[in-house]
Amino acid sequence: MTRGIPYAADTDVALQHAVGRVNRFKGHPPMQPDALLFTRQAVLDSLVVAPAPITESWVMGSLAAVSGLVRWVHNTGQPLAREHVFSEEVRYRWVDGAGHLTKESARIYAVRLELIADHLNGAVVKRLPRATKVQEAPVEPLTPFEEADLWVWSRGLRPLTRRQRVQASIVTGLGLGLTRGEKYLLVKEDVTVTGDGVFATIAHPVTGEVRTVACRRDWEDRLAALVFEMKPHHYLTAPWRDTRPSPQSADESMRRAHKARPPVDFNNVRLRNTWLCHHLANGTPLKVLMQAADMAEANHLHNLLTLLPDVSEADALAALRGRA
């Protein structure tokens, strides 16, 4: 069985995404508050035995298994105590009696719950091997000159469909700071052009939660131009279709585009990091930036601080004084 694709190539960034996903979990149907809190805490405490970098499939599989067990324990009036919920007797009573699970699913749930139970109950657990290896993402943000060179290069890409996909990825990364999964959900109607700027309504690819992000001023015209040429209800990363594009096909198109020798190395992570660093360097309030980036924790932003340009002593003192 494959362990899936990590949330991010960097272990700390992947863990940040995993923690955020667990904290947003509500269950389907929504769980009672006590049972929900118990489930979240159990899975959060178990992330230490997950693959590194952690994968979305591991997190979602653990949430499904633990929430199913906890829901049954809570609904049958049993105590929500870890030593009881994760005892071998209780775990196997639930797995054996869960008629909605296939034989294969029941086996997978049993193995996952055993791993989590051993860890939570104090047993020494051997750490799972590293997840499927992916190409390490460059972390350094692009300079303004590199951003300009990258856009000029993209205008010469052929065929047209590859150029459209790559340009959409660049604009949504540098202008909006979108993740890989968010880019493929964006349709024409999600982008609004007004006299006050260009705004995108972003839906989280897993939870469906919606937020509005303002495009960086220096990328507004390019984003507006791409959207203007699209047909209604078509997707930005595949403007010739009104059905959701496959992330795999878009990734393959990006790989082929890189054979055309871009002026700088780039991918989804580096484009998003550039967007984050731009806002950090220009004084965007941290709370505002985290909401726009859909970040639950600021760990990644802390790591990016070392990549920001140096500030002169005069500018530093002026910033500390505050606005006139």
Side-chain angles (χ1 to χ4, degrees):
M1 291 178 58
T2 176
R3 294 193 184 279
I5 301 175
Y7 276 109
D10 182 88
T11 300
D12 291 337
V13 176
L15 180 59
Q16 172 191 329
H17 284 292
V19 170
R21 182 64 190 91
V22 174
N23 286 331
R24 291 191 299 271
F25 178 78
K26 297 179 180 178
H28 184 73
M31 302 179 71
Q32 294 297 318
D34 289 348
L36 177 60
L37 179 61
F38 185 95
T39 297
R40 287 176 174 174
Q41 288 298 324
V43 176
L44 285 174
D45 290 347
S46 303
L47 295 180
V48 68
V49 295
I54 193 168
T55 67
E56 179 180 353
S57 59
W58 200 93
V59 173
M60 297 307 296
S62 298
L63 286 170
V66 173
S67 65
L69 171 63
V70 172
R71 190 190 298 271
W72 173 73
V73 168
H74 188 256
N75 289 345
T76 52
Q78 301 176 58
L80 284 180
R82 287 188 177 182
E83 61 269 19
H84 173 76
V85 175
F86 292 102
S87 65
E88 183 174 359
E89 178 185 359
V90 172
R91 285 188 284 116
Y92 278 93
R93 278 175 58 199
W94 175 70
V95 170
D96 291 340
H100 67 285
L101 297 177
T102 64
K103 184 177 180 180
E104 180 64 12
S105 295
R107 185 188 68 80
I108 295 173
Y109 277 30
V111 172
R112 179 60 54 83
L113 288 172
E114 182 177 7
L115 173 69
I116 293 175
D118 284 347
H119 172 67
L120 296 180
N121 292 332
V124 177
V125 180
K126 182 179 179 182
R127 189 177 184 87
L128 292 177
R130 183 180 177 89
T132 306
K133 183 174 178 60
V134 297
Q135 183 179 357
E136 291 295 327
V139 234
E140 300 82 3
L142 300 173
T143 67
F145 292 106
E146 289 174 332
E147 291 184 42
D149 288 345
L150 186 61
W151 184 254
V152 171
W153 164 81
S154 71
R155 293 170 61 182
L157 287 173
R158 298 291 186 274
L160 174 61
T161 53
R162 185 168 303 149
R163 181 168 72 250
Q164 290 173 325
R165 272 183 161 157
V166 171
Q167 289 191 330
S169 181
I170 293 174
V171 169
T172 54
L174 294 176
L176 298 169
L178 301 192
T179 64
R180 172 181 176 271
E182 291 169 342
K183 291 179 179 182
Y184 303 134
L185 299 179
L186 209 61
V187 297
K188 179 183 178 74
E189 286 72 19
D190 292 331
V191 180
T192 305
V193 181
T194 72
D196 296 322
V198 180
F199 306 89
T201 302
I202 313 300
H204 190 279
V206 178
T207 65
E209 295 179 3
V210 175
R211 68 187 190 278
T212 299
V213 180
C215 182
R216 276 176 52 187
R217 188 184 302 272
D218 44 356
W219 284 94
E220 286 179 343
D221 290 344
R222 291 163 184 160
L223 176 57
L226 292 181
V227 173
F228 178 76
E229 297 176 354
M230 293 173 56
K231 295 180 180 179
H233 310 298
H234 282 224
Y235 284 79
L236 199 64
T237 56
W240 57 89
R241 57 187 299 173
D242 59 1
T243 55
R244 185 177 300 177
S246 162
Q248 291 75 23
S249 63
D251 289 346
E252 177 60 26
S253 185
M254 291 289 287
R255 281 190 289 269
R256 293 183 180 183
H258 274 75
K259 294 181 179 180
R261 298 182 179 180
V264 291
D265 291 330
F266 75 100
N267 56 21
N268 291 312
V269 174
R270 193 173 193 187
L271 297 177
R272 179 172 164 85
N273 279 350
T274 301
W275 177 81
L276 290 168
C277 286
H278 170 86
H279 283 286
L280 288 172
N282 285 277
T284 301
L286 190 59
K287 185 175 182 180
V288 172
L289 180 57
M290 290 180 64
Q291 290 174 341
D294 193 30
M295 283 185 166
E297 304 289 340
N299 295 345
H300 183 53
L301 296 180
H302 175 77
N303 294 335
L304 291 177
L305 292 179
T306 59
L307 303 175
L308 299 182
D310 293 330
V311 179
S312 69
E313 183 177 356
D315 288 341
L317 293 175
L320 290 172
R321 284 190 67 198
R323 297 178 180 177

